[in-house]
Amino acid sequence: MTALPANIDKLSAYLERFRTDGILNLINGTSQPALSGAFFENASPVDESLICQVARGNNDDIDAAARAARDAFPAWRDMPALERKKILNRIADLIVERAEEIAMCECWDTGQALRFMSKAALRGAENFRFFADKVTAARDGQQLQSPTLMNVTTRVPIGPVGVITPWNTPFMLSTWKIAPALAAGCTVVHKPAEFSPLTARILAEIAHESGLPAGVWNLVNGFGEEAGKRLTEHPDIKAIAFVGESSTGSMIMKQGADTLKRVHFELGGKNPVVVFDDADLDRALDAAIFMIYSLNGERCTSSSRLLVQDSIADTFEAKLIERVNNIRVGHPLDPQTEVGPLIHKVHFDKVTSYFDIARKNGATVAAGGERVGDQGWFVRPTLFTNATNDMTIAQEEIFGPVLTAIRFSDEDHALQMANDTQYGLTAYVWTNDLSRALRVTDRLEAGMIWVNSENVRHLPTPFGGVKASGIGRDGGDWSFDFYMEQKHIGFALGQHTIPRLGA
Ligand code: NAD
């Protein structure tokens, strides 16, 4: 759609191996095609060109991977913590060494802009370092003494786990799930999204180069309803960490029921950014724009509903329209690009369908609302105004660079609309009134809330949503709550009275 950026030759060099060999699975330390021999094609959203063939794993590949993860588990669980820590730190080092390759492949595979993906690659390394530092304390517990017993608790890794990831920022999200699992002592079978397999393969290779024993980390590519489904049903897989759509989470829960799977779900969102008239409006504007139009709006935590107070709405929306029309849409490898193409035609069709829905709803398409160019899945950053919270465009997750602006009269009205959605992932509040901030954050139904800030992730804090946005939390020790079992052991302190039956 635009002139090719100068770094395109570098990308070509990085992609060459995928063109030649395709993307193979990595099971028990061995790269292999799908056992059936089947492949599927992976195309770039930038120009719809074929990137490579990808192994299309199914039940047999998942079974082999789960077996490998099961067999590797005891030795990995029992490896001295400091050795595990060393391996995780080495993975982080190698991610940093290959950060450019990871970022460029991610851009080409997903359409995400390089300005964001280069940071995402480095954040992936940070995830490994953060959890490497936590390895030595992973098994720690408490001592809870009673008059007759010394009670101690300890944590043990749950066993082999399945990790299923989406396509929006696949590299970062994979590290976010897999690093704590490994730190806890679990072994892993990873099924990445079929639309974006490149960096999951690079990551698994890095892990093996870092000295991770065979079978500890297994990669199986394939479709959700084939490989993904089998992974969630497999009896040797003790838990599923899933990031994706709410409807898929619901399916996974059903699929995992027979084997009583433990699940951790990070799902969709329709997150409100609430701007009161006493806020720092320039900063609120910057943050609202950043949180919906960065990462192509393909971001679970995006502020996709703007709730703006009546008294400032005209001015705020006018500035918003000007800025949205200025956002640079372009080739994802161009460092100037702010918004790249959407991941795939299927997703492009979904996002663009909301342009008509908005008009039918009676809202105004105040910016964007159209495709850019005729090749690749580019759309203009879009703003809907004159919307009400009951409209489809205010209720459904669009997952693109599309913002719906709704006006409110007072605090109660804002809260009522903010909470009137099936989702509850994040919320953003802009006000300089401290008591109002306290009241509003207390009543907002969301797992994560930022006041006078965009989403700034701090790894020790809990990440996750309420309602249809998820189950469970990631981050800090919360990740270990998921990947580990609590165990209680009571030691008698003396000769306490034991009830004697039949004596
Ligand atoms: P998706 O649910 O379609 O797919 C996610 C993964 O699930 C893919 O790997 C897919 O192959 C797999 N899958 C699909 N059907 C399956 C099944 N029946 N059994 C097992 N696995 C199956 O989601 P997507 O379209 O790839 O990603 C976008 C969604 O992810 C959005 O809703 C977004 O909000 C959400 N998301 C949430 C977070 C969060 O932290 N809450 C983060 C990123 C993305």
Side-chain angles (χ1 to χ4, degrees):
M1 58 140 318
T2 49
L4 289 178
N7 50 11
I8 197 82
D9 290 341
K10 259 189 181 173
L11 172 76
S12 261
Y14 288 136
L15 291 179
E16 191 50 41
R17 49 169 293 216
F18 292 122
R19 291 198 186 106
T20 316
D21 303 336
I23 292 189
L24 301 179
N25 294 333
L26 219 174
I27 299 174
N28 206 18
T30 306
S31 287
Q32 54 190 80
L35 292 168
S36 68
F39 281 91
F40 63 92
E41 291 190 341
N42 178 34
S44 173
V46 181
D47 60 3
E48 301 159 61
S49 65
L50 177 71
I51 304 176
C52 62
Q53 306 277 346
V54 187
R56 180 173 170 173
N58 64 21
N59 290 7
D60 294 339
D61 305 273
I62 290 290
D63 289 354
R67 202 161 42 242
R70 184 194 62 197
D71 293 348
F73 174 62
W76 179 246
R77 174 195 60 200
D78 296 338
M79 180 185 277
L82 286 176
E83 278 180 46
R84 275 219 302 274
K85 176 176 177 169
K86 221 183 267 173
I87 293 175
L88 296 190
N89 274 323
R90 179 93 187 109
I91 294 176
D93 294 342
L94 292 185
I95 290 174
V96 173
E97 271 178 32
R98 290 174 73 174
E100 182 189 74
E101 174 191 359
I102 292 164
M104 292 182 93
C105 288
E106 190 90 318
C107 293
W108 191 245
D109 210 10
T110 64
Q112 295 286 8
L114 187 61
R115 62 164 62 207
F116 302 118
M117 285 310 96
S118 47
K119 291 188 194 107
L122 295 175
R123 275 184 62 194
E126 272 171 41
N127 287 338
F128 272 94
R129 282 199 217 292
F130 177 82
F131 282 103
D133 283 342
K134 290 186 76 67
V135 168
T136 45
R139 299 216 41 197
D140 286 357
Q142 297 183 39
Q143 194 225 325
L144 303 159
Q145 194 147 341
S146 68
T148 54
L149 294 167
M150 186 177 72
N151 299 287
V152 294
T153 70
T154 180
R155 292 190 295 201
V156 291
I158 190 168
V161 299
V163 172
I164 302 179
T165 45
W167 45 256
N168 57 329
T169 49
F171 183 80
M172 215 286 296
L173 287 171
S174 303
T175 64
W176 193 330
K177 297 284 149 190
I178 296 174
L182 296 179
C186 296
T187 53
V188 172
V189 177
H190 180 203
K191 207 299 282 170
E194 46 272 49
F195 286 167
S196 59
L198 292 190
T199 55
R201 170 71 206 189
I202 298 174
L203 184 58
E205 285 170 5
I206 284 176
H208 286 77
E209 282 161 31
S210 305
L212 200 73
V216 171
W217 179 330
N218 305 276
L219 170 72
V220 181
N221 289 282
F223 295 124
E225 54 277 20
E226 297 175 1
K229 180 166 183 289
R230 176 62 180 162
L231 184 57
T232 61
E233 292 171 342
H234 201 288
D236 286 336
I237 298 295
K238 300 302 171 199
I240 294 287
F242 168 74
V243 186
E245 286 189 20
S246 301
S247 56
T248 315
S250 160
M251 261 193 290
I252 289 178
M253 201 168 232
K254 292 185 194 115
Q255 292 163 191
D258 282 347
T259 49
L260 296 174
K261 212 65 94 205
R262 180 184 289 185
V263 292
H264 179 190
F265 287 164
E266 287 178 5
L267 310 174
K270 191 73 183 178
N271 311 299
V273 49
V274 187
V275 183
F276 288 97
D277 58 7
D278 62 60
D280 181 332
L281 297 180
D282 289 337
R283 286 177 65 76
L285 186 71
D286 285 345
I289 292 171
F290 175 74
M291 282 310 303
I292 182 64
Y293 298 109
S294 61
L295 302 180
N296 301 346
E298 296 165 325
R299 174 179 201 151
C300 56
T301 54
S302 71
S303 55
S304 49
R305 277 187 303 153
L306 167 68
L307 303 182
V308 57
Q309 195 152 15
D310 280 337
S311 45
I312 51 158
D314 284 343
T315 323
F316 198 82
E317 285 177 6
K319 287 186 182 168
L320 189 57
I321 292 168
E322 198 185 327
R323 290 275 295 275
V324 175
N325 283 327
N326 261 339
I327 291 176
R328 284 186 292 263
V329 179
H331 197 292
L333 289 178
D334 180 342
Q336 300 303 316
T337 291
E338 293 172 323
V339 168
L342 298 171
I343 178 84
H344 193 277
K345 180 175 190 311
V346 173
H347 190 55
F348 171 87
D349 287 344
K350 174 186 155 177
V351 171
T352 53
S353 75
Y354 285 97
F355 302 162
D356 275 345
I357 292 173
R359 290 185 190 100
K360 280 192 197 124
N361 279 176
T364 305
V365 181
E370 61 190 18
R371 184 176 187 174
V372 178
D374 53 8
Q375 194 187 36
W377 309 117
F378 296 85
V379 293
R380 277 239 55 91
T382 296
L383 172 68
F384 301 140
T385 55
N386 292 320
T388 54
N389 201 55
D390 56 351
M391 291 180 179
T392 309
I393 52 169
Q395 290 293 325
E396 293 184 3
E397 186 187 43
I398 299 174
F399 216 58
V402 181
L403 177 61
T404 301
I406 304 161
R407 298 180 178 201
F408 67 85
S409 50
D410 59 19
E411 194 177 306
D412 280 341
H413 188 206
L415 268 166
Q416 181 269 322
M417 290 198 292
N419 290 337
D420 181 17
T421 160
Q422 62 164 322
Y423 297 109
L425 189 59
T426 64
Y428 307 87
V429 181
W430 286 85
T431 178
N432 275 320
D433 178 338
L434 178 61
S435 338
R436 170 185 277 158
L438 291 168
R439 277 192 309 272
V440 169
T441 52
D442 189 50
R443 288 175 58 197
L444 275 172
E445 295 166 3
M448 299 169 281
I449 303 169
W450 280 267
V451 178
N452 296 335
S453 175
E454 81 285 28
N455 170 341
V456 182
R457 179 89 185 102
H458 180 51
L459 286 174
T461 59
F463 186 102
V466 300
K467 304 200 291 194
S469 288
I471 297 175
R473 294 292 179 271
D474 256 337
D477 229 42
W478 285 279
S479 298
F480 288 154
D481 284 344
F482 176 69
Y483 290 113
M484 302 185 88
E485 292 281 18
Q486 286 281 347
K487 194 191 268 191
H488 158 254
I489 311 146
F491 297 91
L493 289 171
Q495 303 280 313
H496 66 271
T497 309
I498 299 176
R500 298 184 72 220
L501 305 185

